[in-house]
Amino acid sequence: MDLLVLGLPTSGKTSLTKVVFQKLPLHEAHSLGSSTSVEIINFTNNPYIQFKVYDIPSTIAFDEFCKPEHSAVQQCGALIYVIDAKATPYDKACASFNEAVVTLLKYVPKLNFEVFIHKVDGDTFTKGDEYKLECQKDIQTLIKSELASSEIEINVSYHFTSIYDHSLHDSFGKVIQKLWPQVHYIGNMLDSLITRCKIEKAFLFDILSKICLGTDSTPTDPQNYGICSDMIDLFIDMSYIYGRDEEEDSAFDDESSAITELMTGAKADSPNTYLILRQVGKFIALVCIVNEKDQAKKNLINYNIDCFKKGLAEIFAASEVKKAS
């Protein structure tokens, strides 16, 4: 389930991969030059979900790179093509995407195709969603035309991304969830958890990258996703300051947890919302949004989270057995 990341020079593909997977500080993202060789990022934060991210420069001979004797492309599950939303017109980028698709389909017939419409963070795009939608419509029309000329019919998913908000981590999470076989079982368990405990929303995060590995089936509010992602940042910072184990050089263990109260009530007597974070695996955290009256049922919530944690371990153990057989 490795990922291929392509795009024209200055599209921002190298900086976005480094921001998510190597925690590159945002102020350093602009100083990165265009990549000239293939960069491989190994995602090995936890033993249950591991993959590689290939950052492919536009200057290499892509057809040669994709040939079986030279490449691990056959292990890839998705192509992420990054298009700079500010670099109009989009003709060259869409033509390049089509060329990549034509090449990849010769060697990897089953592949997910994702387009990141990147850098939607300037003055133009903050005026309203209509500018984003117009941009997507233009890109979508050009890509459809390019694919039709090559007589190719594929499904392409589109994502708006920016390194300055949570959209980038959210989009990578959606790409990975499509490829991770266990995500359906985890989603069913999260549905059971929120029903039993009257939890408003539950997310399963990789702590270090802040990528969402799974969620329940209720609609996801981007604001809620952002709040939960911010809580992970706070949790990491506080853990490394006050919870660091000097012997193991780690701030996390199976008992790591946190509860944060959000002052969301419009009136003084309105109920507030709580965020509950529990570590449920190595560098994997469950983050739940719970309203004030239901948060009082701490014992019920903790018991069911323990059950979820046990079920998660069983799913991971079963997948390891399947790999070995």
Side-chain angles (χ1 to χ4, degrees):
M1 56 176 290
D2 297 340
L3 307 178
L4 285 171
V5 182
L6 282 78
L8 295 180
T10 73
S11 63
K13 64 179 179 60
T14 299
S15 60
L16 67 82
T17 55
K18 290 183 179 295
V19 165
V20 173
F21 297 107
Q22 296 182 334
K23 302 188 77 67
L24 177 75
L26 296 183
H27 67 273
E28 295 182 16
H30 294 290
S31 60
L32 289 177
S34 297
S35 55
T36 56
S37 61
V38 177
E39 293 190 37
I40 304 174
I41 300 174
N42 291 298
F43 184 90
T44 56
N45 295 345
N46 63 77
Y48 312 117
I49 175 169
Q50 299 186 351
F51 55 88
K52 295 178 181 178
V53 181
Y54 293 87
D55 177 9
I56 312 296
S58 58
T59 54
I60 71 164
F62 189 59
D63 186 85
E64 189 69 19
F65 172 80
C66 291
K67 289 182 178 179
E69 61 268 26
H70 300 306
S71 167
V73 166
Q74 286 70 27
Q75 303 300 318
C76 291
L79 163 67
I80 298 174
Y81 195 92
V82 182
I83 296 179
D84 183 352
K86 300 174 184 175
T88 55
Y90 306 118
D91 303 67
K92 187 176 180 180
C94 294
S96 175
F97 170 77
N98 179 63
E99 291 173 5
V101 171
V102 171
T103 301
L104 283 168
L105 288 179
K106 291 191 294 186
Y107 305 105
V108 193
K110 293 184 179 180
L111 200 66
N112 292 343
F113 296 96
E114 316 281 345
V115 171
F116 281 13
I117 303 174
H118 193 46
K119 301 182 185 180
V120 287
D121 44 44
D123 292 338
T124 300
F125 296 102
T126 56
K127 295 176 182 177
D129 288 340
E130 63 270 17
Y131 293 95
K132 292 182 181 180
L133 296 175
E134 183 178 346
C135 174
Q136 178 179 334
K137 182 180 178 182
D138 291 343
I139 292 172
Q140 204 165 354
T141 300
L142 287 168
I143 285 178
K144 282 184 177 180
S145 176
E146 290 285 348
L147 293 175
S149 66
S150 300
E151 299 182 346
I152 293 175
E153 292 185 12
I154 57 171
N155 292 321
V156 182
S157 298
Y158 297 86
H159 312 261
F160 294 115
T161 60
S162 168
I163 62 173
Y164 297 109
D165 57 29
H166 304 98
S167 60
L168 185 57
H169 297 82
D170 185 22
S171 296
F172 266 112
K174 289 174 180 175
V175 172
I176 291 166
Q177 287 173 41
K178 291 181 184 179
L179 302 174
W180 197 25
Q182 290 78 18
V183 73
H184 301 293
Y185 303 107
I186 292 170
N188 290 336
M189 287 201 305
L190 289 172
D191 282 339
S192 178
L193 174 67
I194 67 170
T195 300
R196 292 177 180 178
C197 302
K198 294 184 178 180
I199 292 172
E200 293 184 8
K201 189 68 183 174
F203 298 94
L204 190 69
F205 279 98
D206 173 80
I207 293 176
L208 298 183
S209 67
K210 295 193 299 180
I211 288 177
C212 180
L213 302 177
T215 185
D216 59 84
S217 60
T218 62
T220 299
D221 183 342
Q223 184 177 2
N224 287 342
Y225 178 92
I227 291 171
C228 292
S229 182
D230 288 340
M231 185 186 187
I232 291 175
D233 281 334
L234 176 62
F235 174 70
I236 290 174
D237 292 342
M238 297 296 287
S239 294
Y240 272 106
I241 294 172
Y242 299 108
R244 193 177 187 86
D245 187 324
E246 296 296 341
E247 294 183 1
E248 298 185 9
D249 193 31
S250 173
F252 311 102
D253 57 35
D254 289 344
E255 302 303 319
S256 294
S257 63
I259 299 177
T260 301
E261 182 180 5
L262 303 177
M263 305 297 290
T264 56
K267 299 179 181 178
D269 58 348
S270 298
N272 291 321
T273 299
Y274 286 80
L275 295 182
I276 299 176
L277 183 150
R278 279 277 302 274
Q279 185 141 338
V280 292
K282 185 177 181 181
F283 296 120
I284 297 179
L286 175 69
V287 184
C288 301
I289 302 174
V290 186
N291 64 44
E292 190 170 15
K293 65 175 183 178
D294 293 314
Q295 194 274 337
K297 306 170 185 176
K298 293 180 183 179
N299 292 336
L300 175 65
I301 293 174
N302 287 332
Y303 171 78
N304 280 283
I305 290 179
D306 287 339
C307 290
F308 173 84
K309 183 176 180 178
K310 181 180 178 182
L312 192 65
E314 291 175 354
I315 288 176
F316 290 149
S319 66
E320 289 301 313
V321 170
K322 187 176 180 180
K323 284 182 184 178
S325 59

